[in-house]
Amino acid sequence: MTGWTDERIPIGVAPAKGEALDSWLERYAQRLRINTLDFVDYLGLPHVSARKMGTPLGKMVRRLTEDERDLLQRRTEVGAAQLTAMTLEPYDGSLVRIDPVSRRLRCPPYWRHYGNTSRYCPACLEGEPARWQLRWRLGWAIACTRHELLLLDQCPQCGNAPPVATRGRHRVVPRPETCRSWIILRGQDVRCDFPLAQAPAVRLPNEGSVLAAQHAVDTSVLADHHGAASRQRAGELSFLGRRALRGIHSQLELAPPVVREVLDECGGTTPRIAATHEVHDTHNIAVGTALAVIATDREHPACDELFAWLHRGNGRPIGVPRDHPTSDLGNWRPAGPRVISRILKASDGQLTLKARLRYRTATPAAAAPALTEEQVSQRAAKLPGMLWPSWMLRLLPAKAAHQPRIGGMRRACVNLMLIPGGPIGHREATRLMGNSHFRSQQEALLAFVEADHIASTLAHFSHVVDTHTIPIDYARRRALFADESVELALDERRHREICRSFGSRQFTPVHQERARWEVRRLLLGAEPYGGNHPPPWAHRFAYRLHPDLRGFFADQAAAVLAAHGINEPVWWEPPEDWLDGIALPVAAPLDITTDRLAALLAPGPAASDVARELGLTMHQLRLLLESRGVSAPKPPKPRGPGHPTPRKGDLAPDRLRHLYEDRGMQQKDIAELAGCSPGIVRYALREAGIPLRPRRVAGELARSVDPAWLRIEYHVKGRTAADIGRELNTGGNSITNLLDAWEIPRHPLRGHAPPPRVHTNPFADLPVKLSPAMRRISIRQNSLPALRSAVLVPGYPTRRSAALTLGIPRTTFNAHLRLVEDGAGFAVFNHRKRPVRVTPRGRTLLNEARHLLQLLDAQQPPQHRPTDMSEPDGSHRTPRLQTGS
């Protein structure tokens, strides 16, 4: 300031560092030997009654208007930026909230210190008389780090919060460091005039928790108070501090020793708690903030003990097991994601497996579910129906025993991978992945792999899938190729040529079906079936697969994708570096090089020998070979000169003639008796010159067998197809062909869930071809009333309201819907929506059901037709309760 303007006050008073605006104006007035309101009048600032809290200084210290800022700048030549820095305006929106019109202070986001009054440090007022710091008005100011004193809120003599500036016009200007509050003495209003510099204050230990908390607040909250990290840190400290104060008030006897230590630092008194609200004086905030800093400092020895005490603030025990971490988890959300994560991890031992996955409590990134159903569907589109073999190897224990349900375990893994962070359950995840719901899959996984390992690893896998791009849309492939009734085209001529090129005869119809099965497996990324076990030939087929055939299958799958306009790789495995940053509990045997594998597999050894050489189990070896895309085909045996070995035993010519011609045995039965294959029996018959029996005329077996008799023998009596075939002098394959042609359900494979009992199809006499889903539903008991209930569900808010309106018991109504969905094999209704909605596949099924029911009702006499429960306008009316099918 080099020159004086006409409006400039001749005497200048420079603001001190960190000083508040009203403190500076008060000092300015004292320098001019006038009271503050006269000084305000002299400057040209407006004012109101002297005794009111709404004096201009009270508003100006919060925020200056443009006119006030320009006026002060002209009269004092203090810059606009410096004037703004002496107000609370820089803290607006982060630490304080100022009304933009009235400049009133609203409820702040954290500690409720409104800033109308100021805390103070007696030592600071003694060293710098009347220089009140602006930061003393913030709720986070609890201690003076310079003099190591706890800040004061009130005057020790009058008990009031001392004003910073003088209120009212007085001929005698009060001393700078005295209390300017008015008190009533002998019936008159007089000033308190207590010397605030002599006020007793609590001295804080240099290495104590309160001073450490003030330093932590200065660096993590006040330094960048508008930043997201500072806001999150302020929310943590404020929430945990208030919870600590309530805990001290309600259950101090259960508090850890560090709570007593902090109370002793702050004077040894218990914080005051009002009946209706929390008291946010310096003592309370200091105790709460210090305890909150300790509870969030992972290096402090009392951190975990104190946080556990805060977490158990309600004093109620936690039950086990639970599907949700805490009943009041929503009350902790203001504390921020880091505190929520600690609460979830602390609850990990009390949760079920699905809850641990949903909240990721077994991982460092525990958090409340935040994904939508659409985002979970996007994750499902990135996953095949079975977990990738290399990732399954990372999940298996290092010394895994023989596990026959490895296929079901892989399906259970991808089902469970849809649960972390999302809103859906295991059953919804199973349907979304197109897998069959078998409880045995998850039970086998839990019996074989530790639950902690599953909860941590699968949650990691889900996070990796969400954060990376996968080049295959598995959901689209499941929609196109999962239906096994849609046959995949196969170049049979090329298949035959490749097999003959290396001396194999694996091009028969059976082998062609296996080839199509392999092509479908490549397209789906999973075995094309929904059970726990692959076909019995699948493992040997994959292990002995010739490289030329493997390339042929990949070319066929690529051709199928090209025919559908899909530009994706046929087969894909996640790169190993995706899991580099994740510390998985088990080291997978993936360090075995491909060259070593090729050297071991070149002679075509047995799988057990290779597994023994590598120290793996059979299933670990199969997963390893699948992830590398290699196999061990047997080299062709050289054919040398020699004479055929004479047939002996049951294959001797005389014995063979007796068994085949005299006793009429089939080649398969002779092979079983002789302990060889049917092909060897056929060759032995030709060598002995025994003519083969002529084949049956096409259709002769079907014309000679009664379908009702076959259903009774197969289903009621439980006979096998081979046993019935022996009675009819035919093979078991011919009987199974009849079972499929007459739609007689086959016996389940061992280890699979038994099929439902077969009942009469109510639509059998209708001239309509049923869809596969409708055929499965119609052969179940009570299928007709179940379909009648299902077609009436759309439009109702809930299943409960639909059952009440239709007059059907709720349990019966739910059983009807389960029967329809289980029989169809897919979700017909989206029960999570309100009102209940129909899925796209379910809409097609319900339209077919309505058509069939109309045709069926049209064939019945009018008196026997079921009551129509729909009005012409599409609304529903309450029907009479009907029982029976």
Side-chain angles (χ1 to χ4, degrees):
M1 295 182 289
T2 58
W4 297 88
T5 64
D6 294 339
E7 296 183 75
R8 167 69 192 274
I9 301 176
I11 300 176
V13 177
K17 182 179 180 180
E19 187 176 10
L21 180 69
D22 52 355
S23 173
W24 172 63
L25 291 176
E26 178 74 10
R27 286 197 306 111
Y28 219 133
Q30 292 171 354
R31 177 68 178 82
L32 299 177
R33 299 183 182 276
I34 60 176
N35 62 61
T36 306
L37 290 185
D38 288 339
F39 182 54
V40 168
D41 287 342
Y42 175 74
L43 291 175
L45 295 171
H47 68 272
V48 293
S49 176
R51 290 295 182 90
K52 293 184 178 181
M53 294 295 294
T55 54
L57 295 183
K59 294 182 178 180
M60 290 165 57
V61 77
R62 302 168 194 166
R63 175 184 291 162
L64 290 170
T65 64
E66 292 294 335
D67 295 339
E68 292 170 346
R69 187 181 294 105
D70 293 342
L71 180 62
L72 287 174
Q73 188 175 2
R74 291 195 312 269
R75 301 304 300 272
T76 64
E77 287 197 2
V78 176
Q82 189 173 6
L83 289 172
T84 302
M86 289 190 288
T87 67
L88 294 174
E89 183 177 359
Y91 302 100
D92 186 21
S94 59
L95 302 181
V96 297
R97 290 173 178 168
I98 305 173
D99 188 276
V101 179
S102 64
R103 290 190 284 182
R104 292 178 61 88
L105 286 172
R106 297 175 177 174
C107 179
Y110 307 112
W111 293 115
R112 297 182 180 178
H113 181 66
Y114 291 91
N116 288 321
T117 58
S118 175
R119 298 169 183 156
Y120 65 96
C121 171
C124 290
L125 293 181
E126 183 179 9
E128 301 286 346
R131 297 192 179 186
W132 294 69
Q133 296 293 304
L134 179 69
R135 71 189 306 269
W136 291 346
R137 282 178 160 86
L138 302 176
W140 294 104
I142 57 177
C144 176
T145 57
R146 176 184 174 188
H147 299 101
E148 299 180 352
L149 295 176
L150 192 67
L151 297 182
L152 299 178
D153 295 281
Q154 300 169 344
C155 170
Q157 177 171 285
C158 64
N160 297 325
V164 176
T166 305
R167 298 174 182 174
R169 289 186 171 90
H170 303 278
R171 288 174 294 178
V172 179
V173 179
R175 289 175 296 173
E177 69 277 5
T178 59
C179 176
R180 300 174 176 85
S181 296
W182 287 90
I183 59 176
I184 300 177
L185 183 63
R186 300 185 184 92
Q188 296 182 352
D189 292 344
V190 297
R191 289 195 180 276
C192 176
D193 285 337
F194 180 83
L196 298 177
Q198 301 177 13
V202 176
R203 181 161 298 279
L204 301 172
N206 187 19
E207 301 295 333
S209 301
V210 178
L211 284 180
Q214 184 64 73
H215 286 296
V217 167
D218 292 341
T219 56
S220 62
V221 176
L222 300 181
D224 183 22
H225 50 87
H226 282 290
S230 297
R231 290 173 180 267
Q232 180 177 346
R233 181 60 172 163
E236 292 176 355
L237 297 181
S238 175
F239 183 87
L240 293 177
R242 292 196 303 270
R243 194 171 183 89
L245 293 176
R246 291 194 296 268
I248 292 174
H249 181 70
S250 61
Q251 49 179 5
L252 181 60
E253 67 281 357
L254 301 178
V258 68
V259 177
R260 298 283 186 180
E261 296 174 5
V262 172
L263 291 177
D264 292 341
E265 285 187 27
C266 296
T269 59
T270 304
R272 296 179 295 116
I273 302 293
T276 57
H277 63 276
E278 298 170 353
V279 179
H280 293 153
D281 58 359
T282 307
H283 184 265
N284 275 25
I285 298 178
V287 172
T289 304
L291 293 176
V293 170
I294 294 173
T296 55
D297 183 8
R298 305 297 293 180
E299 298 182 358
H300 197 283
C303 172
D304 294 334
E305 184 182 11
L306 179 59
F307 189 86
W309 176 69
L310 296 177
H311 187 202
R312 296 192 304 268
N314 52 18
R316 292 176 296 181
I318 302 176
V320 293
R322 295 177 296 155
D323 291 330
H324 302 283
T326 63
S327 58
D328 59 342
L329 186 61
N331 299 332
W332 286 80
R333 295 190 187 280
R338 288 183 294 199
V339 175
I340 292 292
S341 179
R342 286 190 64 184
I343 294 174
L344 293 173
K345 286 186 284 188
S347 305
D348 182 59
Q350 310 288 332
L351 303 180
T352 62
L353 174 62
K354 295 174 185 177
R356 297 177 70 186
L357 286 170
R358 176 170 288 109
Y359 293 90
R360 304 177 188 265
T361 56
T363 69
L371 299 181
T372 62
E373 292 186 10
E374 182 180 357
Q375 291 172 318
V376 175
S377 299
Q378 294 174 0
R379 183 192 296 171
K382 296 182 177 182
L383 291 172
M386 298 173 65
L387 187 62
W388 292 294
S390 60
W391 284 17
M392 191 66 196
L393 278 173
R394 294 182 180 271
L395 185 66
L396 294 176
K399 297 295 183 181
H402 178 72
Q403 177 48 251
R405 296 181 182 270
I406 196 71
M409 291 168 56
R410 293 175 65 183
R411 294 184 185 277
C413 287
V414 294
N415 296 339
L416 294 175
M417 282 178 62
L418 298 187
I419 296 180
I424 68 173
H426 182 256
R427 185 176 292 273
E428 292 84 356
T430 303
R431 290 176 177 171
L432 197 59
M433 293 304 303
N435 290 331
S436 299
H437 180 71
F438 288 129
R439 187 182 298 272
S440 59
Q441 293 177 350
Q442 185 172 334
E443 291 176 351
L445 183 64
L446 289 172
F448 193 49
V449 185
E450 293 182 358
D452 294 342
H453 187 35
I454 296 174
S456 60
T457 305
L458 293 185
H460 282 315
F461 286 169
S462 300
H463 175 70
V464 171
V465 170
D466 291 341
T467 54
H468 289 81
T469 301
I470 292 178
I472 296 179
D473 186 353
Y474 288 103
R476 176 172 57 182
R477 294 199 182 185
R478 283 190 287 270
L480 292 174
F481 311 121
D483 189 358
E484 297 185 33
S485 62
V486 179
E487 185 175 347
L488 296 178
L490 183 69
D491 190 348
E492 299 179 2
R493 184 183 61 82
R494 178 61 180 160
H495 182 213
R496 186 181 300 107
E497 292 175 356
I498 293 176
C499 291
R500 285 176 174 173
S501 65
F502 56 84
S504 174
R505 296 181 59 83
Q506 296 183 354
F507 49 81
T508 63
V510 173
H511 295 101
Q512 291 175 1
E513 288 302 318
R514 294 179 180 180
R516 290 187 177 89
W517 184 89
E518 177 64 18
V519 172
R520 197 182 300 274
R521 187 190 69 82
L522 290 174
L523 292 172
L524 297 175
E527 295 170 353
Y529 73 106
N532 293 335
H533 306 283
W537 48 265
H539 291 317
R540 179 175 176 82
F541 178 79
Y543 183 72
R544 295 299 185 186
L545 188 61
H546 196 275
D548 293 346
L549 279 180
R550 179 179 291 105
F552 168 73
F553 295 151
D555 294 340
Q556 294 295 296
V560 173
L561 293 177
H564 287 82
I566 300 176
N567 184 18
E568 293 176 353
V570 174
W571 175 87
W572 183 82
E573 187 86 2
E576 294 185 7
D577 58 355
W578 282 15
L579 303 178
D580 287 347
I582 300 176
L584 296 176
V586 174
L590 295 174
D591 55 348
I592 302 173
T593 62
T594 306
D595 294 339
R596 184 185 178 191
L597 272 179
L600 290 174
L601 300 175
S608 57
D609 297 336
V610 179
R612 190 180 307 109
E613 178 69 21
L614 297 175
L616 306 176
T617 64
M618 290 294 295
H619 286 285
Q620 286 176 327
L621 175 64
R622 287 163 183 159
L623 290 172
L624 181 62
L625 297 181
E626 183 181 347
S627 65
R628 302 295 176 82
V630 295
S631 57
K634 284 186 177 180
K637 296 181 180 180
R639 297 183 179 180
H643 301 282
T645 304
R647 302 291 182 178
K648 299 180 180 179
D650 293 326
L651 297 182
D654 295 339
R655 176 64 175 171
L656 185 59
R657 186 180 301 275
H658 170 71
L659 295 175
Y660 186 72
E661 293 183 344
D662 299 340
R663 296 182 56 180
M665 294 181 65
Q666 300 181 24
Q667 297 178 22
K668 181 180 179 181
D669 298 333
I670 299 175
E672 183 178 355
L673 186 63
C676 62
S677 65
I680 295 178
V681 174
R682 188 178 302 108
Y683 286 123
L685 290 171
R686 292 175 181 174
E687 290 177 0
I690 302 174
L692 300 179
R693 288 192 290 265
R695 293 179 177 271
R696 278 193 176 92
V697 180
E700 179 183 355
L701 181 62
R703 291 190 295 269
S704 62
V705 178
D706 183 10
W709 175 85
L710 182 58
R711 184 185 298 272
I712 293 174
E713 295 295 321
Y714 187 74
H715 265 285
V716 178
K717 296 183 179 181
R719 298 176 63 187
T720 64
D723 186 25
I724 298 174
R726 279 190 290 268
E727 180 178 343
L728 299 177
N729 196 21
T730 185
N733 291 337
S734 301
I735 302 301
T736 56
N737 291 337
L738 291 180
L739 295 174
D740 296 337
W742 292 336
E743 297 184 358
I744 300 176
R746 305 269 289 275
H747 289 326
L749 296 175
R750 185 171 53 185
H752 289 242
R757 294 185 59 186
V758 178
H759 296 270
T760 304
N761 186 347
F763 308 120
D765 297 333
L766 297 179
V768 178
K769 184 179 180 180
L770 304 181
S771 64
M774 186 59 69
R775 284 200 304 268
R776 292 192 295 269
I777 297 173
S778 59
I779 61 176
R780 296 195 173 195
Q781 186 179 12
N782 293 330
S783 60
L784 203 57
L787 288 172
R788 293 189 186 278
S789 298
V791 297
L792 298 174
V793 171
Y796 284 100
T798 61
R799 291 178 296 178
R800 176 188 178 92
S801 62
L804 291 175
T805 305
L806 299 175
I808 300 175
R810 188 171 58 175
T811 55
T812 304
F813 188 76
N814 291 335
H816 286 175
L817 300 188
R818 285 197 302 269
L819 186 149
V820 173
E821 291 192 329
D822 293 344
F826 54 83
V828 179
F829 303 100
N830 188 346
H831 302 284
R832 300 176 65 86
K833 300 294 184 181
R834 297 292 183 272
V836 180
R837 298 180 184 176
V838 184
T839 63
R841 298 178 67 182
R843 185 177 298 107
T844 303
L845 179 68
L846 293 184
N847 291 336
E848 181 184 8
R850 291 189 186 95
H851 178 63
L852 293 173
L853 292 174
Q854 290 175 0
L855 294 178
L856 189 64
D857 295 342
Q859 293 182 353
Q860 298 180 3
Q863 61 272 20
H864 295 294
R865 294 179 184 175
T867 304
D868 187 9
M869 287 176 271
S870 60
E871 299 293 346
D873 59 353
S875 61
H876 297 279
R877 58 187 175 87
T878 305
R880 293 174 298 174
L881 182 61
Q882 299 179 2
T883 58
S885 300

